[in-house]
Amino acid sequence: MALLRIQSDWYIYFWLLYCKIYSAIIWLFGNHCRGTDKARAVITSGIGGQSLGSLHRVRTRRKKTQQYHRTKHVVALARRPSYKRIVMAPGASTAHAMMEDKEKLLAPATIRSRRISQFAPLLIALVGLPARGKSQLAHRLARHLNWNGESTKVFDCSEYRRRHMALYGSHDIFRADNQQGSAIRRQSAHEAVQDAVIWLKDGNSVAIFDGTNITREQRRELSDYCLSDMGFRILFIECVCEDQELLERNIIEILHYSADYKDMSEEEAVDDLRKKLEHYMRQYEPIDAGLESIGFVRVENMGETVTAHKVAGQKESGILGYLSGMRGLPQTIYFTRHGESEYNVLGRIGGDAALSARGQLYARALADYFNAMATIDPVSVWTSELRRTKQTAADIHAVKRPVRALNELDAGICEGLTYEEMQERFPQEFAWRDQDKLRYRYPWGESYIDIMTRLRPVLSALEDEHNVVVVGHQAVLRCMLGYFLDAKLDELPYMNVPLHTIVKLTSYGYKYKVEMIKLPVECVDTYRQQPKVRAEQNCSINRSTAEALTTVPSHYDTLPSNLWQSPTEAQL
């Protein structure tokens, strides 16, 4: 027993000795780390003054004074002034300070951009030589953004330059050594940017600066002004064109439609534009990601290749997606309503009615028109899923594609009613519709805004198609034509798209030429004028039935009684 007791005492003795040695080692190691931190703090405080690093070290020393060397952990301030607390092991403060100093060096390039909200206005600045498709891209992008609810406007630097010149003289104004010309161009660019800033300050979402911005200095100054001074987001879009066929087409459009060359002969205009391009090419500095810290998108050959660098933000990402699917090819698009339907004759809205006798005649005339073109320039046909559009396009010799998004506006509880019945059953709804037809939504139905939303993918696809015939409905075609013609939203519900008429759109640059082709088949007129246009019209919910029906078009009861007969019966 005595032997066992002596053996246990030795175990206790060695355990106490081990703890003493371990404590001494920990104490020596802690003193060494504190000495290193102290020397580093003295050096840093002598260089940086009251930097974030020095604040960190002062606070660390204060904690050590209060808790002495027995403290197992040191609580320090985080590197950013949010006073977020972090727990660090002894000796880790040195590594933390080194990481802090490294991030302070990177801060000037990153923190400034982080402070700008995702909801801040966006300035888009175009970059590139003339005839590279910048204006076409700018206006197509503005049309797309406006349609998606982002109020957007293009500020063309060339228009501001023309305000300072009564008449365009020659290419000399674009020479680098022409001081007067350079001053005019700088002033024009400044005015365009200032108007873009005013536009954004007024609460709008996007401004597009359509200029060349060919030097790195110009881009740096514009970027600093937007980010530092105005607090706006900025995205550069560089347009590059190496496709000779596309470049020649762009040059031809400039010669035909630019205001600079309207008073020149063709030979003079070609020579002047060639020398103008030479002046710009001598000064052009393409965007280089290694030399410029800006976010940009490079678009080659009008969407053939799209490259993005430092693109961040919801708006910018949406723009990048749009540019990725864009093609700058000339196009012709045909729009037509279905032939006259039975509901058109009766004055009823919506439904899935079949064609009337005259509607069937129009379907044959429409097929004859496009079948005659098929040998020269074949077409494809898009219809809705409703029966009257399919019947209208049935005899056209082309590939037909029913698209659900092209269906007519859903009138909800008013589907299949005449305007007279709607006024009788739902006078309040009828009045509200007249007050704001664009935003009015039928109970259990749709509004024009809803149609615009479901048409977005169709319009994006149609922008890059050629020789497409869209056989649709009145409300849907109003929205589609309004998009391509860049009409004001409040005008959409009252655009006149008559029956038995082909609307032909032909692109030139970023605009479209409209041609109305009326086929010789009679039909009813379903167009209802805007009630508010008439001074005596009352759109309140307390108006009388006569006031409510003032602009309603005539229908069945004012038409000949033999309308429903087939063409053969009518001849008999």
Side-chain angles (χ1 to χ4, degrees), residues 215-251:
T215 67
R216 296 189 183 97
E217 181 65 19
Q218 289 174 333
R219 297 191 287 268
R220 184 189 63 78
E221 291 179 355
L222 184 58
S223 178
D224 291 344
Y225 176 69
C226 287
L227 295 174
S228 302
D229 298 346
M230 305 310 304
F232 296 158
R233 304 178 69 85
I234 184 168
L235 175 67
F236 290 91
I237 300 179
E238 184 178 30
C239 295
V240 180
C241 184
E242 303 295 341
D243 187 325
Q244 291 302 314
E245 181 180 351
L246 183 59
L247 188 59
E248 289 176 6
R249 186 166 62 245
N250 291 341
I251 290 175

Short mmCIF file of all heavy atoms in Angstrom, two decimals, residues 215-251:
data_model
loop_
_atom_site.label_atom_id
_atom_site.label_comp_id
_atom_site.label_asym_id
_atom_site.label_seq_id
_atom_site.Cartn_x
_atom_site.Cartn_y
_atom_site.Cartn_z
N THR A 215 -10.95 58.16 -77.15
CA THR A 215 -9.69 58.18 -76.42
C THR A 215 -9.91 57.70 -74.98
O THR A 215 -10.99 57.83 -74.42
CB THR A 215 -9.08 59.58 -76.40
OG1 THR A 215 -9.91 60.47 -75.64
CG2 THR A 215 -8.93 60.13 -77.82
N ARG A 216 -8.84 57.17 -74.40
CA ARG A 216 -8.92 56.71 -73.02
C ARG A 216 -9.15 57.87 -72.07
O ARG A 216 -9.80 57.72 -71.04
CB ARG A 216 -7.63 55.96 -72.65
CG ARG A 216 -7.43 54.70 -73.46
CD ARG A 216 -6.26 53.86 -72.93
NE ARG A 216 -6.05 52.70 -73.77
CZ ARG A 216 -5.16 52.62 -74.74
NH1 ARG A 216 -4.38 53.67 -75.00
NH2 ARG A 216 -5.05 51.53 -75.48
N GLU A 217 -8.58 59.03 -72.38
CA GLU A 217 -8.77 60.19 -71.52
C GLU A 217 -10.23 60.61 -71.47
O GLU A 217 -10.76 60.95 -70.41
CB GLU A 217 -7.89 61.34 -72.04
CG GLU A 217 -7.98 62.62 -71.21
CD GLU A 217 -7.43 62.44 -69.80
OE1 GLU A 217 -6.67 61.47 -69.57
OE2 GLU A 217 -7.78 63.26 -68.94
N GLN A 218 -10.90 60.61 -72.62
CA GLN A 218 -12.33 60.95 -72.64
C GLN A 218 -13.14 59.97 -71.79
O GLN A 218 -14.01 60.37 -71.02
CB GLN A 218 -12.84 60.92 -74.09
CG GLN A 218 -12.34 62.04 -74.96
CD GLN A 218 -12.76 61.88 -76.40
OE1 GLN A 218 -12.99 60.75 -76.89
NE2 GLN A 218 -12.87 62.98 -77.13
N ARG A 219 -12.85 58.69 -71.92
CA ARG A 219 -13.60 57.69 -71.15
C ARG A 219 -13.30 57.78 -69.67
O ARG A 219 -14.19 57.60 -68.83
CB ARG A 219 -13.27 56.30 -71.70
CG ARG A 219 -13.69 56.10 -73.15
CD ARG A 219 -13.60 54.66 -73.56
NE ARG A 219 -12.24 54.18 -73.72
CZ ARG A 219 -11.55 54.20 -74.86
NH1 ARG A 219 -12.11 54.69 -75.97
NH2 ARG A 219 -10.33 53.71 -74.92
N ARG A 220 -12.04 58.07 -69.31
CA ARG A 220 -11.71 58.19 -67.89
C ARG A 220 -12.42 59.38 -67.26
O ARG A 220 -12.98 59.29 -66.15
CB ARG A 220 -10.19 58.34 -67.73
CG ARG A 220 -9.73 58.39 -66.27
CD ARG A 220 -8.26 58.76 -66.18
NE ARG A 220 -8.02 60.09 -66.69
CZ ARG A 220 -8.28 61.21 -66.01
NH1 ARG A 220 -8.81 61.15 -64.80
NH2 ARG A 220 -8.03 62.38 -66.55
N GLU A 221 -12.41 60.53 -67.96
CA GLU A 221 -13.07 61.72 -67.42
C GLU A 221 -14.57 61.49 -67.27
O GLU A 221 -15.17 61.88 -66.26
CB GLU A 221 -12.81 62.91 -68.33
CG GLU A 221 -11.36 63.40 -68.33
CD GLU A 221 -11.16 64.57 -69.27
OE1 GLU A 221 -12.13 64.93 -69.98
OE2 GLU A 221 -10.03 65.11 -69.31
N LEU A 222 -15.18 60.86 -68.26
CA LEU A 222 -16.62 60.59 -68.19
C LEU A 222 -16.94 59.63 -67.07
O LEU A 222 -17.93 59.81 -66.33
CB LEU A 222 -17.09 60.04 -69.54
CG LEU A 222 -18.60 59.79 -69.68
CD1 LEU A 222 -19.39 61.07 -69.44
CD2 LEU A 222 -18.91 59.23 -71.07
N SER A 223 -16.12 58.60 -66.89
CA SER A 223 -16.35 57.63 -65.83
C SER A 223 -16.21 58.27 -64.46
O SER A 223 -17.04 58.07 -63.56
CB SER A 223 -15.38 56.46 -65.98
OG SER A 223 -15.55 55.52 -64.94
N ASP A 224 -15.16 59.07 -64.27
CA ASP A 224 -14.96 59.74 -62.97
C ASP A 224 -16.09 60.71 -62.67
O ASP A 224 -16.54 60.82 -61.52
CB ASP A 224 -13.62 60.49 -62.98
CG ASP A 224 -12.43 59.53 -62.97
OD1 ASP A 224 -12.64 58.35 -62.67
OD2 ASP A 224 -11.31 59.99 -63.29
N TYR A 225 -16.55 61.41 -63.69
CA TYR A 225 -17.63 62.38 -63.48
C TYR A 225 -18.91 61.68 -63.04
O TYR A 225 -19.59 62.14 -62.11
CB TYR A 225 -17.86 63.16 -64.77
CG TYR A 225 -19.02 64.13 -64.71
CD1 TYR A 225 -18.96 65.27 -63.92
CD2 TYR A 225 -20.17 63.90 -65.46
CE1 TYR A 225 -20.02 66.15 -63.86
CE2 TYR A 225 -21.24 64.77 -65.40
CZ TYR A 225 -21.15 65.90 -64.60
OH TYR A 225 -22.22 66.77 -64.53
N CYS A 226 -19.23 60.58 -63.67
CA CYS A 226 -20.47 59.87 -63.33
C CYS A 226 -20.38 59.21 -61.96
O CYS A 226 -21.29 59.32 -61.14
CB CYS A 226 -20.79 58.83 -64.39
SG CYS A 226 -21.38 59.53 -65.94
N LEU A 227 -19.28 58.53 -61.70
CA LEU A 227 -19.16 57.76 -60.47
C LEU A 227 -18.91 58.66 -59.26
O LEU A 227 -19.59 58.53 -58.24
CB LEU A 227 -18.03 56.75 -60.60
CG LEU A 227 -18.23 55.64 -61.63
CD1 LEU A 227 -16.96 54.79 -61.76
CD2 LEU A 227 -19.40 54.75 -61.27
N SER A 228 -17.94 59.58 -59.38
CA SER A 228 -17.55 60.38 -58.22
C SER A 228 -18.44 61.58 -58.00
O SER A 228 -18.87 61.84 -56.87
CB SER A 228 -16.09 60.84 -58.39
OG SER A 228 -15.23 59.73 -58.53
N ASP A 229 -18.70 62.33 -59.06
CA ASP A 229 -19.43 63.59 -58.91
C ASP A 229 -20.95 63.41 -58.86
O ASP A 229 -21.62 64.05 -58.05
CB ASP A 229 -19.07 64.55 -60.06
CG ASP A 229 -17.60 64.90 -60.06
OD1 ASP A 229 -16.92 64.64 -59.04
OD2 ASP A 229 -17.11 65.43 -61.07
N MET A 230 -21.48 62.56 -59.73
CA MET A 230 -22.93 62.44 -59.85
C MET A 230 -23.51 61.24 -59.12
O MET A 230 -24.71 61.20 -58.84
CB MET A 230 -23.34 62.37 -61.34
CG MET A 230 -22.83 63.52 -62.18
SD MET A 230 -23.17 65.15 -61.46
CE MET A 230 -24.93 65.07 -61.27
N GLY A 231 -22.71 60.23 -58.84
CA GLY A 231 -23.24 59.03 -58.19
C GLY A 231 -24.09 58.18 -59.11
O GLY A 231 -24.97 57.45 -58.66
N PHE A 232 -23.83 58.25 -60.44
CA PHE A 232 -24.55 57.44 -61.41
C PHE A 232 -23.74 56.19 -61.74
O PHE A 232 -22.52 56.17 -61.61
CB PHE A 232 -24.79 58.22 -62.71
CG PHE A 232 -25.68 59.42 -62.57
CD1 PHE A 232 -25.63 60.45 -63.49
CD2 PHE A 232 -26.56 59.53 -61.50
CE1 PHE A 232 -26.44 61.56 -63.37
CE2 PHE A 232 -27.38 60.64 -61.37
CZ PHE A 232 -27.31 61.65 -62.30
N ARG A 233 -24.43 55.17 -62.16
CA ARG A 233 -23.75 54.00 -62.73
C ARG A 233 -23.43 54.31 -64.20
O ARG A 233 -24.14 55.08 -64.85
CB ARG A 233 -24.64 52.76 -62.62
CG ARG A 233 -25.09 52.46 -61.20
CD ARG A 233 -26.01 51.26 -61.14
NE ARG A 233 -25.30 50.04 -61.44
CZ ARG A 233 -24.61 49.33 -60.56
NH1 ARG A 233 -24.54 49.74 -59.31
NH2 ARG A 233 -24.01 48.21 -60.90
N ILE A 234 -22.39 53.69 -64.71
CA ILE A 234 -22.00 53.95 -66.09
C ILE A 234 -21.57 52.64 -66.74
O ILE A 234 -20.93 51.79 -66.11
CB ILE A 234 -20.87 55.01 -66.18
CG1 ILE A 234 -20.55 55.33 -67.65
CG2 ILE A 234 -19.63 54.56 -65.42
CD1 ILE A 234 -19.67 56.55 -67.83
N LEU A 235 -21.95 52.48 -68.00
CA LEU A 235 -21.58 51.30 -68.79
C LEU A 235 -21.16 51.77 -70.18
O LEU A 235 -21.89 52.49 -70.85
CB LEU A 235 -22.76 50.33 -68.89
CG LEU A 235 -22.55 49.11 -69.78
CD1 LEU A 235 -21.49 48.18 -69.17
CD2 LEU A 235 -23.86 48.35 -69.99
N PHE A 236 -19.97 51.35 -70.59
CA PHE A 236 -19.49 51.67 -71.94
C PHE A 236 -19.82 50.50 -72.87
O PHE A 236 -19.66 49.33 -72.50
CB PHE A 236 -17.98 51.91 -71.92
CG PHE A 236 -17.57 53.18 -71.24
CD1 PHE A 236 -17.28 53.18 -69.88
CD2 PHE A 236 -17.49 54.37 -71.93
CE1 PHE A 236 -16.90 54.34 -69.23
CE2 PHE A 236 -17.12 55.55 -71.30
CZ PHE A 236 -16.83 55.53 -69.94
N ILE A 237 -20.28 50.83 -74.07
CA ILE A 237 -20.55 49.82 -75.10
C ILE A 237 -19.72 50.18 -76.32
O ILE A 237 -19.94 51.22 -76.96
CB ILE A 237 -22.03 49.75 -75.47
CG1 ILE A 237 -22.88 49.40 -74.24
CG2 ILE A 237 -22.26 48.73 -76.57
CD1 ILE A 237 -24.36 49.34 -74.51
N GLU A 238 -18.75 49.34 -76.64
CA GLU A 238 -17.87 49.58 -77.78
C GLU A 238 -18.38 48.79 -78.99
O GLU A 238 -18.60 47.58 -78.90
CB GLU A 238 -16.44 49.16 -77.45
CG GLU A 238 -15.45 49.46 -78.56
CD GLU A 238 -14.03 49.09 -78.20
OE1 GLU A 238 -13.85 48.13 -77.41
OE2 GLU A 238 -13.10 49.74 -78.71
N CYS A 239 -18.56 49.49 -80.09
CA CYS A 239 -19.05 48.88 -81.33
C CYS A 239 -17.88 48.70 -82.29
O CYS A 239 -17.21 49.67 -82.66
CB CYS A 239 -20.13 49.73 -81.97
SG CYS A 239 -21.63 49.88 -80.98
N VAL A 240 -17.65 47.46 -82.68
CA VAL A 240 -16.57 47.12 -83.60
C VAL A 240 -17.19 46.41 -84.80
O VAL A 240 -18.07 45.56 -84.64
CB VAL A 240 -15.53 46.21 -82.93
CG1 VAL A 240 -14.42 45.85 -83.90
CG2 VAL A 240 -14.97 46.87 -81.68
N CYS A 241 -16.75 46.76 -86.00
CA CYS A 241 -17.29 46.14 -87.21
C CYS A 241 -16.15 45.79 -88.15
O CYS A 241 -15.46 46.67 -88.66
CB CYS A 241 -18.29 47.09 -87.89
SG CYS A 241 -19.09 46.36 -89.33
N GLU A 242 -15.95 44.49 -88.36
CA GLU A 242 -14.94 44.00 -89.29
C GLU A 242 -15.57 43.35 -90.52
O GLU A 242 -14.87 42.98 -91.45
CB GLU A 242 -14.03 42.98 -88.59
CG GLU A 242 -13.33 43.52 -87.35
CD GLU A 242 -12.34 44.62 -87.67
OE1 GLU A 242 -11.93 44.73 -88.84
OE2 GLU A 242 -11.98 45.38 -86.75
N ASP A 243 -16.88 43.20 -90.52
CA ASP A 243 -17.60 42.61 -91.64
C ASP A 243 -17.75 43.66 -92.74
O ASP A 243 -18.45 44.67 -92.56
CB ASP A 243 -18.97 42.13 -91.16
CG ASP A 243 -19.73 41.34 -92.22
OD1 ASP A 243 -19.59 41.66 -93.41
OD2 ASP A 243 -20.48 40.41 -91.86
N GLN A 244 -17.12 43.44 -93.87
CA GLN A 244 -17.10 44.45 -94.93
C GLN A 244 -18.49 44.70 -95.51
O GLN A 244 -18.86 45.84 -95.82
CB GLN A 244 -16.15 44.01 -96.05
CG GLN A 244 -14.69 44.04 -95.64
CD GLN A 244 -14.25 45.42 -95.18
OE1 GLN A 244 -14.54 46.43 -95.83
NE2 GLN A 244 -13.54 45.47 -94.06
N GLU A 245 -19.29 43.66 -95.64
CA GLU A 245 -20.64 43.84 -96.17
C GLU A 245 -21.48 44.70 -95.23
O GLU A 245 -22.20 45.61 -95.67
CB GLU A 245 -21.30 42.47 -96.37
CG GLU A 245 -22.71 42.55 -96.95
CD GLU A 245 -23.33 41.18 -97.13
OE1 GLU A 245 -22.61 40.17 -96.97
OE2 GLU A 245 -24.54 41.12 -97.44
N LEU A 246 -21.40 44.41 -93.92
CA LEU A 246 -22.14 45.20 -92.94
C LEU A 246 -21.62 46.63 -92.89
O LEU A 246 -22.40 47.59 -92.78
CB LEU A 246 -22.01 44.53 -91.57
CG LEU A 246 -22.78 45.18 -90.40
CD1 LEU A 246 -24.27 45.23 -90.70
CD2 LEU A 246 -22.52 44.41 -89.11
N LEU A 247 -20.31 46.80 -92.99
CA LEU A 247 -19.72 48.14 -92.97
C LEU A 247 -20.16 48.95 -94.18
O LEU A 247 -20.49 50.14 -94.05
CB LEU A 247 -18.20 48.01 -92.93
CG LEU A 247 -17.40 49.29 -92.70
CD1 LEU A 247 -17.78 49.94 -91.40
CD2 LEU A 247 -15.90 48.99 -92.74
N GLU A 248 -20.20 48.33 -95.34
CA GLU A 248 -20.65 49.05 -96.55
C GLU A 248 -22.11 49.46 -96.42
O GLU A 248 -22.49 50.56 -96.84
CB GLU A 248 -20.44 48.16 -97.77
CG GLU A 248 -18.98 47.97 -98.16
CD GLU A 248 -18.82 47.01 -99.32
OE1 GLU A 248 -19.87 46.59 -99.88
OE2 GLU A 248 -17.67 46.68 -99.68
N ARG A 249 -22.92 48.59 -95.86
CA ARG A 249 -24.33 48.94 -95.69
C ARG A 249 -24.49 50.11 -94.71
O ARG A 249 -25.30 51.02 -94.94
CB ARG A 249 -25.11 47.72 -95.20
CG ARG A 249 -26.60 47.97 -95.14
CD ARG A 249 -27.41 46.70 -94.99
NE ARG A 249 -27.10 45.99 -93.76
CZ ARG A 249 -26.53 44.79 -93.70
NH1 ARG A 249 -26.19 44.16 -94.81
NH2 ARG A 249 -26.30 44.20 -92.54
N ASN A 250 -23.71 50.13 -93.64
CA ASN A 250 -23.76 51.24 -92.69
C ASN A 250 -23.34 52.55 -93.36
O ASN A 250 -23.94 53.61 -93.12
CB ASN A 250 -22.87 50.96 -91.49
CG ASN A 250 -23.40 49.84 -90.61
OD1 ASN A 250 -24.58 49.49 -90.68
ND2 ASN A 250 -22.53 49.26 -89.80
N ILE A 251 -22.31 52.48 -94.20
CA ILE A 251 -21.83 53.69 -94.88
C ILE A 251 -22.89 54.21 -95.85
O ILE A 251 -23.13 55.42 -95.93
CB ILE A 251 -20.51 53.38 -95.61
CG1 ILE A 251 -19.39 53.16 -94.58
CG2 ILE A 251 -20.15 54.50 -96.58
CD1 ILE A 251 -18.08 52.72 -95.20
#
